[in-house]
Amino acid sequence: MKAFALVLAGLMASSTAHAGQPFEESLVECAVLIEALTGDQTPVPGQNAMLDYYVGTATNMRAEAERMRNASYVSEMAVQKRVVWEKRWEDGNWDDPANRQEVADWMQYCFKFAEHLGVEGPTPFDK
């Protein structure tokens, strides 16, 4: 349990995490971010291992949030988080790759969080 607390503290110390944000909210936020970055069209499974990993991780994060809370919560939170991320994209001028450090930090946080909770998608690479 102490190791879990230390890992969680390290994850939450990141500037990207919201202090006191419930796990299920973080799961939904990460799923929405991953989905936004992979695009609105669902990739064909098996054509790209990395996309399978991203899509699988987002799907698993949503499922875990539903297990923790419920489907209605996840749906409502996903809509809210999508609006937040679209605003961040615009406000941060993330169309310019030089301005994407915040989104890179969030992605790192999200995949560490997914790994810690064991909700990653199919891994396309050896660990």
Side-chain angles (χ1 to χ4, degrees):
M1 192 64 162
K2 186 176 180 180
F4 173 77
L6 290 174
V7 169
L8 182 60
L11 289 173
M12 294 305 180
S14 162
S15 64
T16 59
H18 296 285
Q21 181 168 286
F23 274 11
E24 59 271 23
E25 187 173 340
S26 291
L27 286 164
V28 174
E29 183 151 18
C30 286
V32 166
L33 173 60
I34 294 165
E35 292 161 357
L37 293 175
T38 57
D40 291 331
Q41 295 181 347
T42 304
V44 176
Q47 284 190 341
N48 183 304
M50 198 53 124
L51 281 176
D52 288 348
Y53 172 69
Y54 292 151
V55 170
T57 299
T59 300
N60 293 346
M61 290 180 116
R62 279 182 180 264
E64 181 64 12
E66 284 184 16
R67 188 192 67 72
M68 292 175 149
R69 200 67 183 262
N70 60 55
S72 177
Y73 168 86
V74 171
S75 294
E76 291 171 19
M77 184 60 61
V79 169
Q80 293 173 24
K81 295 299 183 176
R82 182 71 182 227
V83 169
V84 167
W85 279 106
E86 287 173 354
K87 183 167 178 16
R88 282 182 181 155
W89 189 273
E90 291 170 15
D91 291 350
N93 189 27
W94 290 348
D95 285 330
D96 179 351
N99 296 333
R100 294 186 186 160
Q101 188 58 51
E102 183 182 3
V103 76
D105 292 344
W106 262 99
M107 288 295 283
Q108 182 178 17
Y109 162 78
C110 289
F111 284 101
K112 285 183 179 181
F113 189 48
E115 180 180 14
H116 178 72
L117 294 178
V119 296
E120 290 178 287
T123 306
F125 43 81
D126 294 330
K127 290 188 176 186

